[in-house]
Amino acid sequence: MVQEYGLFFNGKWHKSEGKRFDTRNPATGEVLATFPMATPAEVAAGIKAAKGSFEKWRKTPAPRRGELLLEAARIMKQKKEELGRVVTSEMGKVIAEGRGDVQEAIDFYTYAAGEGRRMFGETVPSELPNKMCLTVRMPVGPVGLITPWNFPVAIPGWKSGAALIAGCPIVFKPSSLTPLCGAKFVDCLDEAGFPPGVVTMLTGSGSNVGDGIVAHPDIRAVSFTGGVDTGKHVYESAAKKMIKVGLELGGKNAIIAMDDANLDLLMDGVMFGAFGTAGQRCTATSRLIVHERVYDSVVGELVERAAKLKVGNPLDEKVDMGPVASADQEKKVLEYIEIGKKEGDKLLTGGNKLRGGVYDRGFLIQPTVFATDRKKRLANEEIFGPVLSVLKAKDYEDAVAIANSVKYGLSSSIYTNDLRWAFRSMQDLEAGITYVNAPTIGAEVQLPFGGTKETGPTDTREAGTTALEEFTYWKTIYVDYSGRLQKAQIDTAKLVGG
Ligand code: NDP
């Protein structure tokens, strides 16, 4: 019996008047659950509940809010295996990565809980005597969290952990491809005991429900992860209300392989970076830029290793790569493979949808490698699938120029044992993240995460202490305990030199 979910607001699941949609396993086609498309009235009701909880939630001492986050982390830890299997069944990443997805939410909730006892402001000297100046963080109000399907527990975990500890009620809209992961995550928050209204989950299409959340006057910040075009639309809509927006919009991330790189280490990194999550991470390694002196040996090894990867049902522990997440993703990836062939890129391995037997039910594509050059579409556009483009560079400067030539700037990496290239690349690569001797994926929650260029505006960062910026504003407080009117800039003239 397929479970029929409702909408979560005011501390419980509600039946919806909206039409329903299925969520399916991308490896088998099996229907996992059904969800409602929230109607405009239901979106309004969810946001009203969030708004209604704000006063009480913001006044709940931050360390107490932190205790609830810790409790949610404990519950997720207890249910990690079950949640990990839901991630893998609904999204298609291999089970080790499904568990990792959940672990990331556990880690961030644990980290953010501690922020409840820090959330530091500043005390700043006044220019006048007997006066004190300080800054405190204020929660912005109810916030909208719009999330994609590729990290269906981790990304909601990052966004909600920061919002909740800051004192903001959340209105969460998961991707329509992964609402079951969203619902299981919300069940953990509910079990942890967040007060009614503080957690809301609304399902339905981005263009209706997502748009409705972003545009609603009571939503005071939006955190969005997804595609560039949607992100730009969200940015414009939020700008009309003058609210904060965090945008994380993907990348065309490169690993640079210098001629002194350790080949084994490089290959391990490239396999994980390019084909982990079937290449559907915003930080996935989409380009490998190789020094011409080692190009042939790197390509030889790469093709051998990629061809050996086992593709199949991601719940099978022995499988290296699962399906892509949906029919649309599959279509897009196969189209890019055709574009590569038409533009004359050399297909080195893969390039096909897997067919026959169990493969016919899933969106399974071979790990694919093309040799291309910097002018081609495969070298510039985000594919978001298991397709790696290899490019040849003359030297370090040429490799960096290629790496920086795309419109994105999320993650980057260099493999080298030469300190000159390692340290120069940290400054030279136009990206929010640079790895040395590790692939472009593998972010840790205690550090800022985000990019530059069309990956998104640089004024917000998820994770780390910087995550609070998305959901708080600074209030400046002046306390004058002199007992008389003191005028800044005017009375100070008398004070100089006594
Ligand atoms: P989208 O950007 O369309 O979806 C991301 C989220 O935004 C989903 O929850 C979606 O809802 C919602 N959304 C869609 N339209 C609107 C809107 N007008 N207002 C508010 N929210 C909206 O990405 P796709 O899933 O369609 O993937 C397309 C491409 O985007 C991928 O191939 C990849 O290139 C990129 N992408 C990047 C990600 C990253 O990590 N940076 C993650 C996912 C995708 P719904 O889908 O339910 O309609």
Side-chain angles (χ1 to χ4, degrees):
M1 170 75 178
V2 170
Q3 190 166 356
E4 291 191 359
Y5 278 84
L7 303 167
F8 189 85
F9 57 93
N10 249 332
K12 45 181 192 288
W13 291 97
H14 295 258
K15 276 203 167 147
S16 164
E17 303 289 309
K19 288 189 190 141
R20 303 197 68 81
F21 65 96
D22 297 338
T23 175
R24 287 171 188 270
N25 182 327
T28 64
E30 175 201 2
V31 175
L32 301 171
T34 78
F35 281 83
M37 315 252 240
T39 64
E42 289 164 346
V43 171
I47 295 174
K48 190 171 171 212
K51 192 185 179 196
S53 72
F54 178 50
E55 268 311 288
K56 213 167 152 195
W57 184 237
R58 79 175 180 87
K59 287 181 180 158
T60 303
R64 173 74 192 119
R65 296 198 294 258
E67 283 166 27
L68 289 175
L69 265 79
L70 272 187
E71 179 60 8
R74 190 192 62 75
I75 293 163
M76 285 190 270
K77 203 167 177 180
Q78 204 179 25
K79 297 185 175 173
K80 181 174 166 183
E81 186 59 26
E82 177 201 335
L83 290 168
R85 293 182 88 78
V86 175
V87 169
T88 290
S89 305
E90 195 179 33
M91 184 273 155
K93 61 178 69 177
V94 293
I95 183 64
E97 293 181 5
R99 294 182 191 116
D101 202 302
V102 179
Q103 187 60 45
E104 216 167 312
I106 297 169
D107 290 346
F108 191 67
Y109 263 58
T110 309
Y111 176 78
E115 210 42 60
R117 289 190 183 268
R118 285 187 296 268
M119 233 182 277
F120 300 132
E122 291 182 308
T123 56
V124 182
S126 168
E127 60 186 47
L128 289 159
N130 293 321
K131 190 176 169 189
M132 188 180 199
C133 313
L134 56 138
T135 60
V136 291
R137 282 191 186 276
M138 300 291 288
V140 294
V143 296
L145 312 180
I146 299 181
T147 59
W149 40 264
N150 58 343
F151 282 86
V153 173
I155 293 179
W158 280 26
K159 293 186 190 304
S160 64
L164 291 169
I165 198 65
C168 301
I170 59 162
V171 179
F172 160 45
K173 194 209 88 65
S175 161
S176 300
L177 292 178
T178 52
L180 186 56
C181 292
K184 297 279 181 193
F185 174 69
V186 162
D187 277 340
C188 293
L189 303 192
D190 185 30
E191 197 180 325
F194 284 90
V198 170
V199 175
T200 296
M201 183 177 115
L202 303 171
T203 46
S205 77
S207 48
N208 292 319
V209 179
D211 225 23
I213 294 171
V214 176
H216 196 286
D218 291 333
I219 291 294
R220 303 311 305 153
V222 172
S223 183
F224 172 89
T225 301
V228 172
D229 292 341
T230 321
K232 285 182 178 170
H233 170 77
V234 167
Y235 204 20
E236 278 173 20
S237 170
K240 289 189 187 129
K241 296 196 299 178
M242 302 280 195
I243 62 167
K244 281 200 175 186
V245 206
L247 296 169
E248 203 284 280
L249 311 176
K252 185 72 186 171
N253 316 290
I255 288 180
I256 294 176
M258 292 301 291
D259 52 348
D260 65 330
N262 174 325
L263 190 57
D264 269 348
L265 187 66
L266 170 71
M267 279 309 133
D268 288 347
V270 172
M271 287 302 115
F272 187 42
F275 303 117
T277 320
Q280 301 164 110
R281 295 186 183 216
C282 44
T283 51
T285 305
S286 187
R287 296 177 294 157
L288 175 62
I289 303 168
V290 189
H291 194 293
E292 60 184 12
R293 273 206 284 267
V294 289
Y295 183 85
D296 289 342
S297 53
V298 166
V299 166
E301 184 79 12
L302 176 63
V303 168
E304 210 182 304
R305 297 268 297 253
K308 274 194 204 144
L309 291 176
K310 188 172 171 204
V311 184
N313 190 322
L315 282 170
D316 177 346
E317 304 271 357
K318 292 197 198 84
V319 158
D320 299 307
M321 196 180 90
V324 294
S326 66
D328 281 351
Q329 276 300 114
E330 182 183 76
K331 184 165 169 274
K332 182 177 166 197
V333 174
L334 293 175
E335 272 168 16
Y336 268 107
I337 290 172
E338 287 313 307
I339 288 168
K341 289 181 193 162
K342 272 198 203 108
E343 288 198 343
D345 296 324
K346 188 169 172 204
L347 178 62
L348 299 172
T349 183
N352 296 303
K353 173 177 166 58
L354 289 160
R355 292 181 200 278
V358 288
Y359 289 139
D360 283 340
R361 284 182 278 155
F363 309 119
L364 294 138
I365 299 174
Q366 290 173 319
T368 299
V369 181
F370 274 100
T372 183
D373 68 68
R374 66 195 81 184
K375 297 259 160 34
K376 303 285 186 52
R377 287 182 66 186
L378 288 196
N380 288 286
E381 295 175 24
E382 185 181 44
I383 301 170
F384 227 64
V387 180
L388 175 67
S389 302
V390 190
L391 296 107
K392 196 186 281 186
K394 286 201 293 289
D395 51 22
Y396 168 82
E397 275 78 17
D398 193 32
V400 169
I402 298 172
N404 289 344
S405 65
V406 295
K407 67 177 185 179
Y408 296 99
L410 182 53
S411 188
S412 56
S413 150
I414 188 164
Y415 278 74
T416 182
N417 287 310
D418 189 321
L419 280 177
R420 287 173 302 165
W421 313 136
F423 277 82
R424 280 178 61 181
S425 68
M426 295 174 206
Q427 306 291 327
D428 294 344
L429 289 168
E430 292 168 3
I433 306 166
T434 294
Y435 291 89
V436 177
N437 290 331
T440 53
I441 66 176
E444 297 183 32
V445 302
Q446 67 279 20
L447 288 129
F449 181 91
T452 181
K453 297 155 94 178
E454 288 209 11
T455 294
T458 48
D459 57 341
T460 59
R461 286 285 183 263
E462 296 197 79
T465 52
T466 43
L468 291 171
E469 293 296 336
E470 277 194 73
F471 305 111
T472 57
Y473 64 92
W474 285 110
K475 171 168 278 192
T476 306
I477 299 170
Y478 299 97
V479 185
D480 191 323
Y481 48 94
S482 68
R484 61 196 167 84
L485 173 65
Q486 300 197 89
K487 298 180 197 135
Q489 293 91 38
I490 296 169
D491 293 350
T492 41
K494 291 183 246 160
L495 296 171
V496 176

